Amino acid sequence: MYLEAENVCVDRAGRRVVDGVSLRLEPGQCLAVVGPNGAGKTTLMQALLGLLPLAGGSVRLNGEAMGRLSRRQIARRVAYLPQNYEGYLGFRVRAVVETGRYAHRGAVQPWDETDREAIDQALEQCGLGSLQDRTVEALSGGERQKVWLAAALAQQTPALLLDEPTSALDPKHQAELIELILTQLSAGKTVMLICHDLNLAAMLNCRVLALREGCKAFEGPVGQFLDPKLLRLVFEADFELVRLASPGHVRAHLRVQRG
């Protein structure tokens, strides 16, 4: 799945929130969108999905203009995991994951074998098999996050757009998520994620798109982005880089000044 954006601009409440951002994502590529709070990361992702109107620029999926595609056509191409997910209280986990198949079925069509296999696979991939009969409100925050992710995987789209997918996940489940994303990439899927954890981008070997005040501040390999001077420019904070034993592996840590 090719996802292209050219000079995208988005206004919200009379203010330019995203200003002239261009990008291109190819099959098997991972792009991490980073930047300080309020930089326009989520707004950009929602605009790429056609959920927010453009004040300028264009978005294309496999060469087709986003504005010419129906919501069902978009949902068959791109699955979206939002940062905050409301609703579904009282629903069983499996029922929530089943919603990922709505893009492929009519309103009253029963599930077929392809649907059931996709749902079962998504539950297994996210480690939710033993929880599938529980209701959503009976789960922890991290478990709920895995439910939303499973619903996105059940869509079986060639592209995944994930807004802070590791939020509420403990270290064990973060590691599982990283393995899951790597599996999707190795299968040729296109992945775009918003993250505040720069080390996540490093572990996934992503390209990085850094935003500041709605504008592109950097785009390139994560190895180039993990530079203290550049990180300072984007985040207005000091970082220390720790080089690990594995060649090319770097971790970024905030430098905290103690009084």
Side-chain angles (χ1 to χ4, degrees):
M1 167 64 67
Y2 291 89
L3 173 60
E4 301 169 279
E6 184 175 357
N7 294 322
V8 166
C9 299
V10 184
D11 295 339
R12 304 189 77 170
R15 183 173 69 90
R16 181 61 47 96
V17 179
V18 174
D19 192 4
V21 175
S22 298
L23 60 89
R24 176 181 169 87
L25 263 171
E26 301 181 0
Q29 187 177 50
C30 181
L31 178 70
V33 182
V34 305
N37 292 336
K41 301 182 295 295
T42 294
T43 295
L44 173 63
M45 181 171 282
Q46 291 178 345
L48 296 178
L49 289 159
L51 298 176
L52 292 175
L54 301 182
S58 62
V59 178
R60 294 180 296 277
L61 292 178
N62 276 351
E64 294 186 78
M66 177 71 75
R68 296 181 180 177
L69 299 172
S70 68
R71 292 313 310 171
R72 182 177 289 260
Q73 289 173 318
I74 294 170
R76 289 177 175 174
R77 292 166 170 80
V78 184
Y80 173 46
L81 176 66
Q83 181 179 353
N84 297 307
Y85 217 118
E86 302 292 339
Y88 291 109
L89 297 182
F91 284 79
R92 293 186 307 121
V93 168
R94 186 178 182 88
V96 176
V97 177
E98 287 174 349
T99 63
R101 300 302 300 169
Y102 288 170
H104 303 277
R105 313 302 296 171
V108 295
Q109 284 182 291
W111 304 130
D112 63 15
E113 189 60 29
T114 299
D115 296 316
R116 285 188 286 271
E117 288 180 0
I119 294 162
D120 289 340
Q121 183 181 41
L123 287 165
E124 181 180 355
Q125 287 177 315
C126 294
L128 296 169
S130 62
L131 302 178
Q132 62 181 306
D133 291 321
R134 292 193 190 181
T135 55
V136 171
E137 67 268 24
L139 304 180
S140 68
E143 288 169 338
R144 292 185 192 185
Q145 184 78 351
K146 291 166 67 179
V147 174
W148 316 139
L149 177 60
L153 293 177
Q155 280 181 245
Q156 293 189 325
T157 56
L160 288 168
L161 270 61
L162 313 173
D163 192 345
E164 296 193 38
T166 57
S167 65
L169 296 183
D170 61 33
K172 175 179 180 292
H173 292 123
Q174 286 185 31
E176 292 174 351
L177 176 66
I178 291 169
E179 290 295 332
L180 186 57
I181 293 175
L182 289 172
T183 298
Q184 303 301 309
L185 291 169
S186 65
K189 290 199 176 186
T190 302
V191 178
M192 177 179 177
L193 60 92
I194 294 172
C195 64
H196 287 289
D197 184 355
L198 302 180
N199 296 319
L200 175 61
M203 286 183 281
L204 292 171
N205 195 29
C206 295
R207 284 185 65 79
V208 170
L209 171 64
L211 298 182
R212 180 161 184 82
E213 296 181 350
C215 299
K216 182 189 296 187
F218 172 88
E219 184 179 10
V222 64
Q224 292 182 12
F225 183 64
L226 294 181
D227 175 272
K229 292 182 180 178
L230 184 54
L231 293 172
R232 173 72 187 176
L233 177 67
V234 173
F235 293 100
E236 294 186 346
D238 292 322
F239 287 79
E240 292 180 339
L241 301 184
V242 179
R243 300 193 178 276
L244 305 181
S246 302
H249 286 209
V250 180
R251 294 289 181 268
H253 300 279
L254 277 171
R255 181 185 299 157
V256 180
Q257 301 291 338
R258 297 186 179 180

